[in-house]
Amino acid sequence: MKRTLSVPGIAYGGDYNPEQWPEEVWAEDVRLMREAGVNLVSVGIFSWALLEPAEGVYDFSRLDKILDLLDASGIAADLATPTAAPPAWFFRAHPEALPVDGDGRGLSYGSRQTFCPSSPAYREAALRIAGALAGRYADHPAVRMWHVHNEYGCHNAACYCDTSAAAFRRWLRDRYGDDLASLNTAWGTAFWSQWYYDWEEILPPRATGAVPNPTHQLDWRRFCSDELLSLYRAERDLLRTAAPSVPATTNFMVNFSFEALDYWRWAPELDIVSNDHYLRSTDPASQIDIALSGDLVRSLAGGPWLLMEHSTGAVNWQPVNRAKDPGQLRRNALAHVARGADGIAFFQWRQSKAGAEQWHSAMVPHAGTDSRIWQDVVRLGADLKALAEVRGSTTPAEVAIVWDWDASWALELPAQPSAELRHLDLVRAWYEPLWRAGVAVDFVRPDADLSAYRLVLAPSLYLVDDAGAANLAAFAERGGILAVGFHSGAVDENCHVRLGGYPGAFRDVLGVRSDEPFPLLPDAPVGLSGAVPEGASGTLWSERLRLEGAEAVASFADGPLEGVPAVTRHGHGAGAAWYLATLPDPDTLAALLERVRTEAGAEPVRSAPPGVEVVRRRGPEADYLFVIDHTGRGASVPVAQDARELLTGKDTPGSVTVAPGDVAVVREPHGQ
């Protein structure tokens, strides 16, 4: 059954926490929400202690008033189960539900997400409060969506207590068919005398004297993701039983250095995929992170999604919490819409005056409505109203980047050839030239259907199973262009090295073989020569590569592997496969990917000056071009003769001019 969010146009709002304020403020809140164009707020996310002041004792009087007030004002509610923050009385009754870290240190309550995901007492209490909410509010007219929990795994992605150990063993028995011999084989426990003779001998990968078993650690990461997913499913199923037509979501945290959960496994379980995104204050090109994150979330969702949280200004948890520049609030929000978001929400509605997040910005800041943030919030509401027809449109792409959480987890385990290899950094390095060229990108699993793409890139796929490797090779065989980054295909799904030379699973399709990696020291690049820009260099990695059918496009110009191929191309079937045995400098990488993209015939969305982002969403009757100026200088971009700019309502025949630091959204009807 398809469950959709029933609010008009683009959803707009934020986390609403009226329990932090006296009741006389609430009427002012909804008045301001209407002024700003807010049509959806999340409520109840951290209100467990107020809703259930003692076990089995409920007080819904405050929430009753809030939901009735929202409904009377025409504002929909995304009603949360408050299970991310159990109350103090719960932990006094069940201290065994508190988490334990990998060093064996027990953690206390007093913040949020201070529970063990495997705790039976926590699960029972969480389902009890979720059930009470479902029973009371399933038919409330304000409730248009269930917000299950909040940011699963943000602070408790793993617990190492004995209860978690028992749950881990149950998960392993399901995975390996109750066969310890299969587990021992998969984990390679003949090494270092780690062979297990009894399931009870298996523990979580707690702190130990040397490097833990890689497959043990990888299975632990898989278990932790699945254990939290089981909590989500349990709450969601209970809510669905009470309200079968109301969609359920939980907010992902794609890309902000959070890789605890395998969102490919999670996404199909959500009626509506939603995400939280915050800027890194140290990232000088945060607009690229917004784009990458949005493309990944859209790919997880298979279409439009919701931005559940971002900030109007500064956050409160980075070393320096920088405010946003003038115009940045609007650019950021509309960039998410460009990448497929059908809803824009902030944390939070009214800035807290007390508590751990009192210095986190909000839609209504401490300064009140006499503030730039409030003016920007109201303007954004008007923008989103003007973009109502964009809702539901798609974002077509001819280029795909392979993203796999197993591969990411495995690459960043200890005892790799280089600790400098980070999955997200490598993916972003390859993504950035495509972003700068204005090329639309999807993200895919290794085993995905690739028939819609001309070009598939695998910047960092250290781990891949046989099916995924065969799928990528078949893509090239059928005529696609495949490009693979170094240290990919090295191990199978059990983290076992694929013998016979590197890059393991991809040797045949790439037409190369390496017998030894030569990781590069930080700040010690090597030169590159051949069909690359003058002065080209490589960083992070090199390897002794020989050609077995491929041609050398570039070679190492100096260092221990002088003259050895560094970039290769191999005709494979009707297509071709490229291999990069190093990370070229940004200009060289951009030039190489431009050559690969040109060979594939994957075109930019629209010609635009450097620093001007152009993104297309496609509806049934029109294309919508989002033109975002990141240069601060403004620019003109060619559009159709019958185009219309939606934010101003003006016709823009032939071209649209975007003001410095501004955004334009152009409607181009199909077939006209």
Side-chain angles (χ1 to χ4, degrees):
M1 174 181 170
K2 177 75 171 175
R3 300 171 182 85
T4 58
L5 177 61
S6 59
V7 298
I10 305 292
Y12 183 45
D15 285 13
Y16 182 39
N17 300 294
E19 64 273 11
Q20 298 179 16
W21 303 93
E23 189 170 343
E24 54 266 25
V25 176
W26 301 353
E28 175 73 357
D29 283 334
V30 295
R31 185 187 70 79
L32 293 176
M33 287 176 190
R34 291 173 65 86
E35 179 180 332
V38 166
N39 58 11
L40 177 71
V41 292
S42 299
V43 293
I45 292 175
F46 294 116
S47 59
W48 193 344
L50 298 178
L51 294 173
E52 189 180 9
E55 183 173 342
V57 177
Y58 302 106
D59 180 1
F60 294 118
S61 58
R62 182 184 292 103
L63 187 54
D64 287 346
K65 293 179 181 178
I66 292 164
L67 291 176
D68 289 347
L69 179 61
L70 291 172
D71 182 53
S73 302
I75 300 166
D78 170 30
L79 181 57
T81 61
T83 52
W89 62 255
F90 169 78
F91 291 113
R92 288 189 67 196
H94 300 284
E96 78 283 0
L98 287 164
V100 174
D101 69 15
D103 292 324
R105 181 183 60 163
L107 305 181
S108 178
Y109 60 90
S111 58
R112 63 179 184 178
Q113 291 175 318
T114 54
F115 62 88
C116 165
S118 298
S119 165
Y122 168 77
R123 181 181 290 249
E124 179 183 352
L127 292 179
R128 185 175 62 242
I129 184 64
L133 285 166
R136 189 172 187 89
Y137 298 114
D139 297 321
H140 196 288
V143 177
R144 309 291 178 83
M145 184 163 62
W146 297 115
H147 187 307
V148 183
H149 198 81
N150 186 73
E151 295 180 338
Y152 274 101
C154 183
H155 303 287
N156 64 339
C159 173
Y160 295 80
C161 71
D162 289 342
T163 300
S164 297
F168 182 41
R169 289 190 286 268
R170 289 193 296 271
W171 184 91
L172 291 170
R173 294 178 90 141
D174 287 341
R175 181 174 178 85
Y176 294 104
D178 204 23
D179 182 0
L180 260 179
S182 294
L183 179 141
N184 280 305
T185 299
W187 285 17
T189 56
F191 186 81
W192 276 2
S193 189
Q194 293 176 336
W195 195 274
Y196 295 104
Y197 291 96
D198 191 293
W199 289 99
E200 296 301 311
E201 295 169 357
I202 300 173
L203 298 172
R206 296 166 176 163
T208 188
V211 178
N213 182 305
T215 319
H216 183 178
Q217 295 179 81
L218 179 59
D219 270 350
W220 173 252
R221 298 290 295 267
R222 291 164 170 159
F223 157 76
C224 290
S225 177
D226 282 356
E227 192 76 342
L228 286 165
L229 180 56
S230 75
L231 291 176
Y232 168 79
R233 286 175 177 148
E235 289 193 34
R236 179 211 60 195
D237 290 350
L238 188 153
L239 297 168
R240 277 186 179 173
T241 298
S245 63
V246 178
T249 190
T250 190
N251 39 343
F252 290 173
M253 293 182 291
V254 165
N255 257 15
F256 193 80
S257 299
F258 180 83
E259 296 189 349
L261 306 182
D262 182 350
Y263 286 135
W264 287 123
R265 288 178 59 81
W266 280 69
E269 304 289 346
L270 278 62
D271 295 310
I272 298 171
V273 169
S274 64
N275 189 53
D276 295 351
H277 186 274
Y278 292 99
L279 304 181
R280 298 172 176 87
S281 61
T282 56
D283 186 353
S286 58
Q287 65 270 20
I288 300 174
D289 188 64
I290 290 174
L292 194 161
S293 173
D295 285 343
L296 179 52
V297 180
R298 186 191 67 251
S299 301
L300 289 166
W305 53 281
L306 296 182
L307 179 65
M308 189 62 73
E309 288 184 26
H310 70 316
S311 67
T312 57
V315 297
N316 69 304
W317 37 266
Q318 299 187 46
V320 176
N321 294 298
R322 193 175 182 277
K324 290 190 175 182
D325 295 333
Q328 192 175 10
L329 181 156
R330 186 167 179 261
R331 284 196 306 276
N332 289 171
L334 294 179
H336 286 292
V337 177
R339 301 281 167 176
D342 273 359
I344 296 295
F346 294 94
F347 180 81
Q348 58 181 322
W349 166 251
R350 186 178 286 275
Q351 190 172 12
S352 301
K353 65 178 182 180
E357 294 182 299
Q358 66 192 64
W359 289 108
H360 192 294
S361 60
M363 299 173 78
V364 181
H366 290 148
T369 57
D370 185 15
S371 61
R372 191 191 74 195
I373 281 181
W374 176 250
Q375 294 168 4
D376 289 347
V377 163
V378 173
R379 184 183 183 191
L380 178 60
D383 289 337
L384 296 176
K385 185 176 181 180
L387 298 180
E389 66 180 89
V390 173
R391 177 177 173 171
S393 57
T394 60
T395 307
E398 297 179 324
V399 178
I401 294 178
V402 181
W403 179 289
D404 185 69
W405 270 275
D406 274 359
S408 172
W409 294 338
L411 178 67
E412 297 181 17
L413 293 174
Q416 281 282 343
S418 172
E420 298 298 314
L421 306 186
R422 285 175 286 276
H423 175 260
L424 177 56
D425 291 348
L426 292 169
V427 171
R428 173 156 166 175
W430 284 45
Y431 177 88
E432 181 168 340
L434 298 171
W435 181 88
R436 294 192 182 281
V439 176
V441 172
D442 284 342
F443 286 88
V444 294
R445 298 168 56 123
D447 59 354
D449 178 1
L450 304 176
S451 59
Y453 305 106
R454 296 174 179 267
L455 172 62
V456 173
L457 308 176
S460 178
L461 196 59
Y462 169 65
L463 177 153
V464 65
D465 62 16
D466 291 345
N471 187 50
L472 294 171
F475 168 76
E477 179 81 25
R478 294 191 301 268
I481 304 300
L482 174 70
V484 178
F486 60 84
H487 206 35
S488 292
V491 300
D492 65 14
E493 66 272 21
N494 292 319
C495 253
H496 291 197
V497 173
R498 294 179 179 273
L499 303 179
Y502 319 113
F506 298 118
R507 288 197 309 268
D508 291 342
V509 67
L510 295 172
V512 297
R513 181 181 183 274
S514 167
D515 67 346
E516 187 175 13
F518 279 72
L520 301 174
L521 295 173
D523 302 318
V526 293
L528 300 176
S529 62
V532 290
E534 185 177 353
S537 63
T539 62
L540 285 181
W541 193 265
S542 64
E543 57 186 281
R544 188 161 47 222
L545 195 67
R546 77 180 187 212
L547 305 178
E548 294 191 341
E551 61 178 304
V553 175
S555 300
F556 294 109
D558 50 44
L561 300 179
E562 183 176 354
V564 171
V567 179
T568 64
R569 181 191 178 278
H570 181 226
H572 185 75
W578 291 66
Y579 183 56
L580 276 64
T582 190
L583 179 64
D585 64 85
D587 289 344
T588 302
L589 180 58
L592 288 168
L593 291 180
E594 175 75 8
R595 180 174 171 183
V596 172
R597 182 179 62 77
T598 301
E599 180 181 0
E603 298 296 329
V605 170
R606 192 63 50 92
S607 175
V612 178
E613 183 177 3
V614 182
V615 188
R616 176 191 290 117
R617 290 186 64 164
R618 174 157 293 164
E621 298 179 355
D623 281 354
Y624 303 98
L625 292 181
F626 287 73
V627 184
I628 309 171
D629 176 55
H630 299 291
T631 69
R633 297 185 297 272
S636 293
V637 172
V639 297
Q641 286 297 322
D642 53 356
R644 185 174 182 82
E645 206 287 312
L646 296 180
L647 299 179
T648 62
K650 295 180 179 179
D651 293 336
T652 54
S655 70
V656 64
T657 299
V658 59
D662 208 346
V663 181
V665 182
V666 178
R667 184 184 196 271
E668 293 184 331
H670 294 324
Q672 298 183 30

